[in-house]
Amino acid sequence: MSRPTEKRLPVPDDVVFDILTWLPVKSLIRFRCVSKSWYSTITNPIFITTHLNLNKAKESLSTDNNNNNNNNGYLLYTNVPKDFSSSHELCTAVYNTDHTLTQISAFQIPFSGFNVVSFCNGMFCLDCLTDHGDHIICLWNPSIRKFKTLAPFRLIDYVDSGTLRLESVTLGLAYNSQNNDFKILRLACFYDIIEKFVINWFRIEAEIYTSSTDSWRKVEISVEGYICLIWEMKEYGVAESWTWTKKCITMNSFYSCYGCTDNGEILMKNANGLVSFDPENHQNIFAIEDARWADYTANSMESLVLLDGGNSVSEYKD
């Protein structure tokens, strides 16, 4: 006599949702093919945000554990190509407590002519300035092989009456946790030629891009001279806790500043190459030749941002 078959009840959708949020990005990309409902769940903006916030919480725990281990997080950097025909290589290295680096990955950036300029929550910001004065910015999530190219911006339109010259363009990528939004700050620096060989230094145009609205807005900023002021957020996520450390570095001592590590070291590039300064101004030189860009992250976090498609999101293959 055969035993009666047991009827299996389906797993509630909210339970499936919660379980999936704990899975790594690589698994979630494959699991989109399981069913239409799973595809709909994994590509839903609410799920993507929940997965991102959970990863950030796990990152915070991992950072606490790193304090008891043998590393201080990770260093991301790109090298200057050996020739014009080759593309940039994005490298990830463990930043050991003895101030040495152990490279764990390196791969080619699949965009010719673009430079990595910023990193945040698994998302990279790249840019390219064309010969015609167009500034092209790209948001890139290598974990899911998707990118979004923003509308070109003509910096040359700022040049008026033949006296205004573009000095540099600086970009910064950040994540606003209050409304789950990525933002880009663009600073375009210009100088005026008043008379022949007479330069009136500096004029800065600032704009902020908001990913949720896919739009730019101008903002007013003030320039406080040629020093780097060091601020510290005493309580994470609380804007009122920003405190000036009363430490500063003169601008003529370095070429570029890339950020800070969790233990307070400042990453920068000077005549010695890519270096770090601890709060007491002790210099540590990294064994990296011709670093073009660098950034620090407490944990090499991946995310699903851009997986929902949205406006102008594209996919590429290796």
Side-chain angles (χ1 to χ4, degrees), residues 181-210:
D181 214 353
F182 281 89
K183 294 181 181 291
I184 298 174
L185 171 64
R186 172 168 49 200
L187 298 177
C189 302
F190 302 86
Y191 60 89
D192 285 301
I193 302 179
I194 302 175
E195 297 178 2
K196 193 174 183 179
F197 306 120
V198 178
I199 297 176
N200 182 23
W201 196 270
F202 239 123
R203 170 180 164 184
I204 297 180
E205 299 284 349
E207 293 179 297
I208 293 179
Y209 170 83
T210 303

Side-chain angles (χ1 to χ4, degrees), residues 214-229:
D214 194 27
S215 62
W216 291 88
R217 63 181 176 88
K218 290 186 177 182
V219 293
E220 297 293 331
I221 64 170
S222 61
V223 181
E224 300 185 6
Y226 302 97
I227 61 172
C228 174
L229 303 177

Side-chain angles (χ1 to χ4, degrees), residues 45-86:
I46 296 177
F47 177 86
I48 293 173
T49 299
T50 304
H51 183 268
L52 173 62
N53 292 335
L54 183 58
N55 270 351
K56 288 174 64 65
K58 290 190 292 185
E59 176 188 0
S60 179
L61 293 175
S62 177
T63 301
D64 293 337
N65 292 333
N66 282 344
N67 294 332
N68 300 320
N69 295 330
N70 62 346
N71 75 78
N72 290 325
Y74 299 85
L75 189 70
L76 309 173
Y77 62 94
T78 61
N79 288 326
V80 177
K82 296 180 180 179
D83 54 69
F84 293 105
S85 61
S86 60

Side-chain angles (χ1 to χ4, degrees), residues 17 39-49 308:
F17 184 100
Y39 180 92
S40 177
T41 296
I42 295 172
T43 58
N44 187 291
I46 296 177
F47 177 86
I48 293 173
T49 299
D308 56 336

Side-chain angles (χ1 to χ4, degrees), residues 49-305:
T49 299
T50 304
H51 183 268
L52 173 62
N53 292 335
L54 183 58
N55 270 351
K56 288 174 64 65
K58 290 190 292 185
E59 176 188 0
S60 179
L61 293 175
S62 177
T63 301
D64 293 337
N65 292 333
N66 282 344
N67 294 332
N68 300 320
N69 295 330
N70 62 346
N71 75 78
N72 290 325
Y74 299 85
L75 189 70
L76 309 173
Y77 62 94
T78 61
N79 288 326
V80 177
K82 296 180 180 179
D83 54 69
F84 293 105
S85 61
S86 60
S87 59
H88 297 301
E89 192 173 55
L90 177 63
C91 304
T92 303
V94 175
Y95 187 20
N96 304 306
T97 53
D98 61 357
H99 301 288
T100 61
L101 298 176
T102 303
Q103 184 172 309
I104 58 176
S105 69
F107 60 91
Q108 298 295 320
I109 299 174
F111 308 105
S112 177
F114 281 82
N115 299 313
V116 176
V117 292
S118 192
F119 169 82
C120 179
N121 291 348
M123 182 88 78
F124 289 87
C125 181
L126 303 88
D127 79 336
C128 174
L129 186 61
T130 69
D131 294 336
H132 302 291
D134 291 331
H135 189 213
I136 304 175
I137 300 174
C138 178
L139 290 173
W140 172 43
N141 187 340
S143 301
I144 61 174
R145 294 181 174 84
K146 287 190 179 286
F147 67 95
K148 177 179 180 178
T149 303
L150 309 187
F153 182 81
R154 288 188 59 80
L155 288 171
I156 200 171
D157 289 343
Y158 279 106
V159 180
D160 53 7
S161 69
T163 63
L164 197 61
R165 296 292 183 268
L166 176 66
E167 167 63 21
S168 63
V169 180
T170 303
L171 296 173
L173 176 66
Y175 178 72
N176 187 340
S177 59
Q178 293 183 342
N179 55 8
N180 303 315
D181 214 353
F182 281 89
K183 294 181 181 291
I184 298 174
L185 171 64
R186 172 168 49 200
L187 298 177
C189 302
F190 302 86
Y191 60 89
D192 285 301
I193 302 179
I194 302 175
E195 297 178 2
K196 193 174 183 179
F197 306 120
V198 178
I199 297 176
N200 182 23
W201 196 270
F202 239 123
R203 170 180 164 184
I204 297 180
E205 299 284 349
E207 293 179 297
I208 293 179
Y209 170 83
T210 303
S211 61
S212 62
T213 60
D214 194 27
S215 62
W216 291 88
R217 63 181 176 88
K218 290 186 177 182
V219 293
E220 297 293 331
I221 64 170
S222 61
V223 181
E224 300 185 6
Y226 302 97
I227 61 172
C228 174
L229 303 177
I230 304 173
W231 291 72
E232 178 183 0
M233 179 178 278
K234 297 292 186 180
E235 185 177 351
Y236 180 77
V238 180
E240 293 76 13
S241 68
W242 279 109
T243 304
W244 179 34
T245 62
K246 296 185 179 180
K247 294 184 175 69
C248 62
I249 302 173
T250 58
M251 292 291 284
N252 58 6
S253 64
F254 65 92
Y255 305 149
S256 301
C257 183
Y258 297 115
C260 299
T261 67
D262 278 2
N263 60 3
E265 296 180 25
I266 304 171
L267 298 176
M268 59 182 62
K269 186 176 182 180
N270 62 14
N272 295 316
L274 186 62
V275 302
S276 69
F277 281 95
D278 67 20
E280 301 303 323
N281 266 359
H282 296 150
Q283 179 177 267
N284 173 57
I285 302 174
F286 296 117
I288 299 177
E289 297 181 358
D290 299 326
R292 166 165 283 185
W293 168 86
D295 203 349
Y296 167 85
T297 178
N299 198 348
S300 55
M301 187 182 73
E302 297 180 337
S303 74
L304 295 169
V305 177

Side-chain angles (χ1 to χ4, degrees), residues 11 13-23 28 47 54:
V11 180
D13 292 340
D14 58 338
V15 176
V16 173
F17 184 100
D18 290 339
I19 293 174
L20 291 177
T21 57
W22 286 89
L23 298 181
L28 292 172
F47 177 86
L54 183 58

